[in-house]
Structures are given as C-alpha cells and as structure tokens.
Amino acid sequence: MALGTAMDWRGGLDAGDLSAEALVRQSLERIRSRDGQLHAVLATDASRSLALAREADRRLREGERTPVLGLPVVLKDNLAWTGLPATCGSRMLEGHQAAYDATVVSRLLAAGAIPVAKANMDEFAMGSSGEYSAFGPTLNPWDPARVPGGSSSGPIVAVAAGYAPLALGSDTGGSVRLPASFCNVTALRPTYGVLSRYGLTAMASSLDQVGPVGTTAADVAAALQVMAGPDPRDSTSVDLPRTGALFPLQPADLKGKRIGLPVEYWGPGLAPEVREVLEAALDQLAALGADLVEVSLPHTRYAIDTYYLVCTSEVSSNLSRFDGVRYGYRAPDQGLDLADLISETRDRGFGPEAKRRILLGTFCLSRGWYEAFYLRALQARTLITRNFQEAFRSVDLLATPVSPVTAFPLGAKTGDPLSMYLADVFTVTTSLAAVPCLSVPAGFAGGLPVGLQLIAPALADVALLKAAHAFQLATAHHLTTPPLPS
Ligand code: GLN
C-alpha cells in the first residue's frame, strides 16, 4: 500500500477494497521498521488497536459511514487515552497512565478512528525543535541530521513517515504548524475553543489548542468534523459554524478573494531560499484568481515578548500540580519533609526548559513585577488581536511564512534558548489573537520542505480549510514523501 491520503483510504474502506485491520497492521509495521531511526513514537498497544480495527470493520460491513471510520490516528503524548502512558515527554510523568479519554480522543473513537500510538514531544509541549523530550529527540525524515520541529514532533513525523494518515498534536504558539512546515504535512490550529481541551495536559491554558494533522487539508477537515463542537467539560469550548461543510470538503473559489500579505512577515529576516519558494506559492494563489494585497500588523514586533510572558506565567501556574504527591514521579524519600520532597521531586523530574519557564513565569507573576510584565503582556496581546481584526476588515485571508528558515540541524539552538524562542516569530501572533491558521506544504528549498501559513478570521476555520484545499488541488508539494527506510 502506498502512503495515501486519509481520503484515498476512506474511499477504499467504504468500497470494501481495504480493511481497517490491514491499515492498522501496516501502521504498526511501519512504526516497527522506521521508528528505530526517527523516534516519533513513545508507546503502542497493538492488541488494543487491532481489536478496535476489527470493530471498525464490523461497523463498515454493517453499512455505517463516518469521515474517519477505520482510519489509524497517532496521538501526541499530552492527550489522554485511557490506560496508555501520558508522559508529556517528561520524566515527571514517566510511567503515568491516563485514567480517562480526552474529549477529542473519545469523539474520534466514537466515530471509529483507531489510535495506534502515543507520540513523542518536547517536554510539556515547550519547544520548537522536538529535542526537549526527556526520552530523546525525534528526527526529521527528510534529513535525520535535522530537527523535525516541535513541540508536536512525534505526531507530525508519524504522518510524514506514513505511520498513520492522521494525527493529533497541540499548538500553543506554533507547535503543529512549525513541524508541519519542516516535514511537509498539513496541520491546522483551529480557532481557540473549537476543540475541547479536556484531557489535553495544560501548558498555557489561554493559548493551548489541539491541532489535527494530515497529508491534506481535506484529511484534516474530516478529522475536525468529528471532534469539533462544544464540550461541557471545557468552559472555553465554542460551536464551529458550518461544521457540516468539512466533509467531504469542497475547494473554495479563490476568484476575487482578497489575501493580505502582512509586511512585517515578508521582511529581510526571511531566508532568500524560503522566500523564493513562498513567492511561487503566492503566484499560484494569484493564478487561482486571488487578489494579493499588502497589509500591516504593526504590533507584530511585540509578539515574541508577549507570548513568552503570557506562556511562562501560565506554565508556572499549570505545572504547580506536579508535586510528586498526587501522581507521577516522586524523588526517593530519604526522610525528607514534605516541602523538601516537593522541591527535590520538581528538581529531578523537570527538564531544563520546564524549569526555565516555571522560574520566568513565577517572576512575571510576582508582587511588584506583575504589572510591569504580565499585565503589560496582556495589554500587548489586546493590541495584537486588534491588528488582526483591523486587517480582516479588508481581506478574507492572510498569507505568511510559517518559519523564516527550513529545518535546522540537530543541536543548532539547544544551547541558546532565545534563538529557540525566535523560531516561533511567525506563529505566536495568531495564537495570541485566537484566530485559526494552518500550514500547507508550499515546495522545497535545498531539498527541505517549506510551509505557507494561511490565516482566517476567528471561527472561519471552514473557509480556511477550503482555501487550502483549493491550493492543494492546484499543487502537488504535499504528495511528495521523504526518502524512508523500507
Ligand atoms: N515553541 C513554542 C513554545 O515553546 C510553541 C510551543 C507549542 O505550541 N506548544 O512555547
């Protein structure tokens, strides 16, 4: 079986030419033969996945149809799937098993998708390269000497390397879009609230979103359809208008659509070889009839500072629950009192990036500094959000690079946290503004993938996916697969 898109496989399953069991066996076999090199996967439960596959085959034989029935899916290890490890890439949760299903997981299961693996990630979703997992880095299938991007390194590589046609990552400041750009897959960050965060281990709660990943926008849309919608267990969840139009996804007619190019994103910081690829993609959008117009998002220059103040503040609060008392790792108890046991546990359990953020965030929220840092960051966040609202008064979509560079070599940024943070320069703004955005494959520079970011107004996720679908019907970059060990 070729790699295939989820929608190709959908057709085969519905026609009875393919079985879910065969697809799941293929997934497990590819993980077995390829993951020794790539290290995208942290855990599998083959017998459970095969039992779910046989159940999906029974439902298919009985004539049931859903957008994802019988399709294998890989889950980032910060999403709960009952009984499987949920380590979040951290020693702190080594050996911890989920006691319930995340809402997105239970909705996928109800629709008949089959989880086949829990996937590697930067510790607690902090990172841009996939190198901050306590269990070792994930490698880029296009060049194993390079990073795949993070923090959803495992889910993205799982799709890029053909382990599964679909995966779920999470995106706080770019964590599905950046690796999608580095590995040539399609990944969506929905409008904040469209996907429930129940069962997604919190990093920065006002920014975290689950992000569906696939080969195409149509595949991503199919997964989104079965997961979207309000959840009583997540008070920030919202209803997505026009969810019915997600499957089967029809392409947008781009004729006369206005696509804004924010000048702040297309400046001199962009590597020339990346610019060349992206300009060809813009020409393609113009050939489809879109009007490309310059716009400005003037507060973009505050985005990285704002994001890393808001994010670390929320991290310091969210990660306070890891105390070695209730669950997860506990330091050896050598007659320590409770306070020392907690601090010893946190010292040994968290990696350097988690500690850095807890310290920064605690400082930002501390008395005397709160107004100077956290409160100002919230004010800047409002200005950044207003920039987008203003831009969307005159354009339907925005188009930007996902990253100023292609996948960088392993180790290139691990010694310099600030340069790692700067990798997110084009992705954190939309997270702060809570608007939907996606990364689509746009071509190759020096043999490495380059992603184009498309951005839509809040709750226009369907229109965004339709526009990406139109682009993908006119291009074939997303169908190019990496050289893989057989
Ligand atoms: N790289 C960004 C960070 O480290 C984004 C991470 C994410 O989206 N989870 O915070």
Side-chain angles (χ1 to χ4, degrees):
M1 278 183 266
L3 275 186
T5 68
M7 292 304 97
D8 292 341
W9 289 10
R10 168 84 282 125
L13 289 163
D14 289 348
D17 301 335
L18 275 177
S19 74
E21 185 172 347
L23 291 182
V24 167
R25 282 191 191 284
Q26 175 186 260
S27 282
L28 295 168
E29 173 52 29
R30 286 182 179 171
I31 291 169
R32 200 194 54 73
S33 63
R34 296 174 183 174
D35 207 53
Q37 184 187 14
L38 298 172
H39 197 38
V41 164
L42 293 177
T44 56
D45 181 345
S47 59
R48 185 146 158 217
S49 298
L50 286 166
L52 288 169
R54 286 188 282 270
E55 170 68 12
D57 283 328
R58 188 189 59 71
R59 289 167 67 177
L60 282 161
R61 276 194 306 275
E62 286 174 359
E64 190 178 339
R65 297 292 179 261
T66 83
V68 297
L69 181 56
L71 293 174
V73 55
V74 166
L75 305 172
K76 190 174 181 178
D77 209 33
N78 57 356
L79 286 163
W81 180 27
T82 313
L84 262 87
T87 67
C88 297
S90 181
R91 292 269 170 239
M92 192 56 108
L93 285 171
E94 198 169 7
H96 173 70
Q97 297 201 331
Y100 61 95
D101 289 335
T103 297
V104 287
V105 173
S106 59
R107 288 182 182 176
L108 279 178
L109 286 166
I114 302 148
V116 290
K118 296 300 297 289
N120 206 356
M121 57 185 283
D122 286 300
E123 184 173 4
F124 287 109
M126 303 173 198
S128 310
S129 68
E131 295 168 288
Y132 289 155
S133 167
F135 308 110
T138 304
L139 308 186
N140 190 318
W142 293 90
D143 177 354
R146 291 175 186 270
V147 304
S151 67
S152 305
S153 50
I156 295 284
V157 169
V159 171
Y163 299 176
L166 294 171
L168 296 186
S170 65
D171 187 307
T172 304
S175 272
V176 292
R177 290 164 284 154
L178 188 66
S181 169
F182 284 1
C183 295
N184 209 47
V185 302
T186 303
L188 172 74
R189 174 190 166 88
T191 302
Y192 181 79
V194 162
L195 292 178
S196 166
R197 288 178 295 112
Y198 178 74
L200 168 70
T201 304
M203 191 234 301
S205 309
S206 78
L207 296 158
D208 296 341
Q209 261 300 279
V210 174
V213 183
T215 306
T216 66
D219 291 0
V220 166
L224 184 65
Q225 192 191 65
V226 303
M227 297 187 294
D231 175 10
R233 290 179 162 130
D234 175 358
S235 63
T236 62
S237 65
V238 296
D239 199 10
L240 176 64
R242 299 177 60 218
T243 309
L246 285 168
F247 174 82
L249 189 70
Q250 302 301 320
D253 180 359
L254 293 179
K255 251 180 238 89
K257 284 260 162 25
R258 288 170 65 81
I259 300 184
L261 308 178
V263 288
E264 293 79 6
Y265 290 67
W266 294 93
L270 191 57
E273 68 277 13
V274 171
R275 177 187 300 279
E276 199 179 306
V277 168
L278 292 176
E279 283 179 350
L282 296 179
D283 289 346
Q284 188 68 52
L285 289 169
L288 290 167
D291 278 339
L292 302 180
V293 295
E294 247 183 35
V295 295
S296 175
L297 302 169
H299 292 96
T300 300
R301 67 175 182 279
Y302 301 117
I304 286 278
D305 306 25
T306 305
Y307 171 82
Y308 278 97
L309 292 173
V310 173
C311 175
T312 56
S313 299
E314 295 186 20
V315 162
S316 74
S317 165
N318 277 324
L319 269 56
S320 64
R321 75 194 63 184
F322 300 108
D323 55 10
V325 176
R326 287 168 291 185
Y327 43 77
Y329 173 76
R330 175 181 299 178
D333 178 355
Q334 318 122 339
L336 299 173
D337 67 20
L338 182 63
D340 286 345
L341 179 69
I342 291 174
S343 79
E344 189 67 19
T345 295
R346 288 167 68 81
D347 187 35
R348 293 178 186 221
F350 288 130
E353 183 60 26
K355 285 182 193 161
R356 188 155 36 238
R357 292 198 194 197
I358 291 168
L359 289 172
L360 275 170
T362 305
F363 178 74
C364 289
L365 294 176
S366 62
R367 200 163 110 182
W369 296 109
Y370 176 92
E371 287 79 7
F373 291 107
Y374 183 67
L375 208 61
R376 285 194 101 173
L378 291 187
Q379 289 161 343
R381 182 176 190 175
T382 301
L383 295 175
I384 290 166
T385 306
R386 284 194 197 140
N387 281 177
F388 279 95
Q389 289 163 347
E390 184 63 34
F392 283 126
R393 277 201 256 284
S394 63
V395 297
D396 302 290
L397 296 171
L398 295 166
T400 78
V402 177
S403 163
V405 293
T406 52
F408 43 88
L410 286 161
K413 296 185 194 286
T414 41
D416 179 1
L418 270 184
S419 78
M420 190 72 89
Y421 295 170
L422 285 170
D424 305 318
V425 60
F426 297 145
T427 55
V428 295
T429 45
T430 50
S431 296
L432 291 163
V435 291
C437 41
L438 101 182
S439 176
V440 278
F444 295 82
L448 295 169
V450 174
L452 175 74
Q453 179 169 237
L454 296 174
I455 307 167
L459 294 175
D461 304 50
V462 176
L464 175 66
L465 286 159
K466 283 166 159 282
H469 189 32
F471 177 75
Q472 290 184 323
L473 288 178
T475 55
H477 315 299
H478 57 287
L479 298 176
T480 309
T481 51
L484 291 163
S486 54

